[in-house]
Amino acid sequence: MNPFRRWSFGNMLWSIVTLFGLCGFNAAHSADNNSTLRLLVVPQFPATEINATWSKVLKGIESENLPKIELIFSKDITEFESMFLSGQADLIYCNPYHMVMAKKAQGYVPMIRDTKPMSGILISPKGGQFDNIRTLTDLNGKTLLFPSPNAFGASLYMRALLKREKGLNFVTRYVKTHPNVIRGVVRNEGQAGGMVSATLLAEDPALREKVKVIYETPPTAPHPIAAHPRVDAIMREAISQALLNYLKQHNAEGADIQIANPVRAVYNRDYQPLELLGLEEFVSN
């Protein structure tokens, strides 16, 4: 998709808003230093936690050379996907396959990502009645917990591999977030659950000690921060450079948003290979 024209598109929308008097109209807009850009973060964690971690980073990159960036929130993954697929967010932090979906739907451009590859992991309880689950074959016919259908490493890619390559049959239960997965597994609500390594490591060590990893997916490029094409190349570069500089100097805050060691992201290199995995049949629309 070609980028929107900066002024003509913005002026057209302003005319529409003025004509109809729709004060709450949440239209897409052109990005310049006087705009407020909207950042939508994938709801892997509760909104309060997303707000706490990401607000620090956004505050840290505030500059007269950049527009203000504000967080917007989705109640769940389904709403998150609807919002970026319709182009409601100027910036998104999304999982790798969401990046593929966002590129195809709206032309979102990845800007930065962490250096560390992402792997999905399957965890099972340590101790208790399900301590005997050690291999994938032990999970045939069992209940597996996943955060949501299209959570890439924790669910989408994981389910595809378990069904197509490992030949497993299992009952699928979605519990909305990664923290809910590990807590559900510990409470024996499922005999195993899908997460990603980074979200497991973010949990309390005492909780991590109650589970074991029994399977790991092949690694892929991790979650990127991406921009809608209405955010032009000059602005994308300015935001990317500000994030790179800040996160490299504030490693703890980078770790909190899972970009501890930021680098440039390139769609053709990092995310286009995921188009070849044939995951369409496992995607929930």
Side-chain angles (χ1 to χ4, degrees), residues 11 31 34 64 74 82 98 103 142 148 161 165-166 212 216 223 253 263 276:
N11 289 344
N34 297 316
E64 63 182 16
S74 56
S82 175
H98 280 151
K103 178 73 170 179
K142 301 295 193 297
S148 61
L161 290 169
E165 295 193 6
K166 306 302 179 182
K212 57 185 180 290
E216 188 169 351
H223 293 45
E253 291 181 17
V263 293
L276 304 178

Side-chain angles (χ1 to χ4, degrees), residues 110-208:
M111 299 191 301
I112 71 167
R113 61 171 176 82
D114 194 63
T115 56
K116 186 177 181 180
M118 186 190 79
S119 294
I121 55 173
L122 199 63
I123 59 171
S124 66
K126 188 187 293 183
Q129 61 178 315
F130 297 123
D131 185 53
N132 61 339
I133 295 175
R134 301 286 175 177
T135 67
L136 292 180
T137 55
D138 297 326
L139 292 174
N140 251 324
K142 301 295 193 297
T143 297
L144 273 58
L145 308 182
F146 301 98
S148 61
N150 298 341
F152 177 67
S155 178
L156 181 64
Y157 193 24
M158 177 71 75
R159 289 182 292 112
L161 290 169
L162 294 180
K163 287 182 176 290
R164 291 194 309 205
E165 295 193 6
K166 306 302 179 182
L168 285 188
N169 291 308
F170 51 86
V171 177
T172 298
R173 182 180 171 194
Y174 298 116
V175 295
K176 296 186 177 181
T177 69
H178 290 239
N180 286 349
V181 169
I182 186 172
R183 285 157 181 79
V185 168
V186 169
R187 291 192 296 262
N188 295 325
E189 294 170 3
Q191 287 74 62
M195 299 184 69
V196 295
S197 300
T199 52
L200 178 62
L201 291 174
E203 290 289 354
D204 183 89
L207 186 61
R208 295 202 307 263

Side-chain angles (χ1 to χ4, degrees), residues 91-112:
L91 305 170
I92 57 173
Y93 174 73
C94 61
N95 77 41
Y97 201 76
H98 280 151
M99 184 66 250
V100 174
M101 295 166 65
K103 178 73 170 179
K104 291 181 176 180
Q106 290 283 334
Y108 280 91
V109 180
M111 299 191 301
I112 71 167

